[in-house]
């Protein structure tokens, strides 16, 4: 069974953010991830991790003004300096939290910017981030996102991500492979995981349709979990899904899939 991390931006949202760490631990999670830590005191987050024996697995680089509709700024030619400042901030938080890797969200291609220009900007920003993060001992991943949930997002498929990874040319950049997004965009989940295991640094899950917990949609997670074990995936799998009802009710799937459930 792969190592599962609770995504605290989507799970336990019935609770204030700082109380979600304890809730995740009560349900047997050993690792946590979330979108962003930057609105919270880093020492307070570290205290929660330590108090509940949790590993900080992943968070995203600063992605602009999320509430205003930004979904990343790495592909925006007008925001390169802002992106670089965000890399510095992410390093500060990652070091304090013992977080081994951070994710880069490419963002929506700005109006008036061509796809080729967006990809060139993304490639340059990833080169910068990969180098700076490597100096700090932190890995970088990048995530392809489906065009249904985020129309206009600059990075959409595994093939495109692999091409950009090659163009960046850094061993410190791998892919964050989100099963939900890639099922929508291209399917063929198990063969893709097998073929590109060496290029994948992090995996996330949700079922589809609906982006709910495993067992609510078309994906066979019993098979996929066994497959990840069989191909030797050693990383974490982030549970980045929206509970179909409440978090507690939805987490019944953990017991079915063999994870200790104490909540």
């Amino acid at each position: 069974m792969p190592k599962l991390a609770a995504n605290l931006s989507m799970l336990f949202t019935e609770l204030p953010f700082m109380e979600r760490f304890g809730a995740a631990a009560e349900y047997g999670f050993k690792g946590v991830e979330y979108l962003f830590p930057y609105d919270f005191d880093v020492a307070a987050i570290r205290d929660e991790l330590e108090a509940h024996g949790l590993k900080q697995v992943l968070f995203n680089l600063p992605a602009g003004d999320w509430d205003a509709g930004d979904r990343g700024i790495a592909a925006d030619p007008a925001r390169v300096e802002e992106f670089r400042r965000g890399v510095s901030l992410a390093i500060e938080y990652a070091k304090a939290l013992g977080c081994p890797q951070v994710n880069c969200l490419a963002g929506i291609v700005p109006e008036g910017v061509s796809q080729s220009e967006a990809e060139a900007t993304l490639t340059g920003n990833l080169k910068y981030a990969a180098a700076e993060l490597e100096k700090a001992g932190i890995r970088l991943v990048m995530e392809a996102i489906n065009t249904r949930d985020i129309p206009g997002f600059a990075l959409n498929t595994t093939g495109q991500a692999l091409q950009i990874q090659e163009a960046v040319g850094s061993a410190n950049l791998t892919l964050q492979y989100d099963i939900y997004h890639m099922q929508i965009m291209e399917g063929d989940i198990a063969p893709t995981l097998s073929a590109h295991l060496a290029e994948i640094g992090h995996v996330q899950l949700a079922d589809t349709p609906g982006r709910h917990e495993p067992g609510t949609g078309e994906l066979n997670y019993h098979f996929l979990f066994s497959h990840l074990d069989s191909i030797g995936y050693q990383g974490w799998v982030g549970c980045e899904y929206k509970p179909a009802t409440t978090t507690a009710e939805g987490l019944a799937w953990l017991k079915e899939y063999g994870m200790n459930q104490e909540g």
Side-chain angles (χ1 to χ4, degrees):
M1 182 71 181
K3 300 180 294 184
L4 299 177
N7 187 296
L8 301 185
S9 296
M10 289 197 172
L11 303 183
F12 307 106
T13 57
E14 301 89 351
L15 299 171
F17 179 75
M18 298 302 292
E19 295 180 19
R20 298 175 197 173
F21 295 86
E26 288 178 6
Y27 277 89
F29 288 102
K30 303 300 182 185
V32 294
E33 62 176 36
Y34 37 74
L35 288 175
F36 311 107
Y38 311 111
D39 287 339
F40 302 93
D41 179 71
V42 69
I45 297 176
R46 185 176 60 240
D47 288 347
E48 288 298 313
L49 292 168
E50 293 176 353
H52 301 291
L54 293 167
K55 173 69 176 177
Q56 180 68 57
V57 172
L58 179 94
F59 55 80
N60 295 318
L61 291 172
D65 189 340
W66 196 263
D67 292 337
D70 284 339
R71 292 298 179 264
I73 59 173
D76 189 340
R79 302 174 77 172
V80 172
E81 289 305 315
E82 180 183 352
F83 177 85
R84 292 188 173 196
R85 290 194 299 271
V87 171
S88 296
L89 182 60
I91 289 171
E92 177 184 330
Y93 269 77
K95 282 184 171 180
L97 299 176
C99 185
Q101 60 186 0
V102 296
N103 179 45
C104 177
L105 293 170
I108 298 168
V109 178
E111 186 176 353
V113 175
S114 67
Q115 180 66 30
S116 61
E117 186 180 5
E119 288 191 10
T121 302
L122 175 60
T123 300
N125 278 330
L126 288 169
K127 284 182 179 180
Y128 175 84
E132 293 301 304
L133 288 162
E134 187 172 23
K135 293 175 188 176
I138 301 161
R139 298 187 299 274
L140 176 65
V141 295
M142 61 176 170
E143 180 180 15
I145 291 179
N146 80 75
T147 54
R148 181 188 305 163
D149 286 5
I150 307 182
F153 197 79
L155 183 59
N156 308 125
T157 67
T158 302
Q160 182 191 9
L162 290 168
Q163 289 176 350
I164 290 174
Q165 181 190 36
E166 183 177 2
V168 171
S170 171
N172 198 43
L173 173 66
T174 55
L175 276 59
Q176 175 169 296
Y177 187 83
D178 189 303
I179 293 171
Y180 164 76
H181 289 304
M182 293 304 94
Q183 173 67 3
I184 292 171
M185 292 303 297
E186 59 194 28
D188 226 19
I189 301 299
T192 301
L193 287 166
S194 296
H196 300 294
L197 179 65
E199 290 82 36
I200 294 172
H202 188 64
V203 173
Q204 290 180 325
L205 66 78
D207 218 329
T208 181
R211 202 174 187 177
H212 300 313
E213 57 266 27
T216 58
E218 65 187 0
L219 287 163
N220 183 345
Y221 271 103
H222 284 288
F223 172 80
L224 288 174
F225 287 150
S226 295
H227 182 70
L228 284 167
D229 286 341
S230 70
I231 64 176
Y233 176 68
Q234 299 296 310
W236 291 85
V237 176
C239 298
E240 192 187 46
Y241 66 82
K242 299 180 291 186
T245 54
T246 66
T247 301
E249 289 180 2
L251 284 172
W253 73 271
L254 294 175
K255 185 178 294 183
E256 178 185 352
Y257 286 81
M259 183 175 173
N260 181 34
Q261 184 184 9
E262 301 173 357

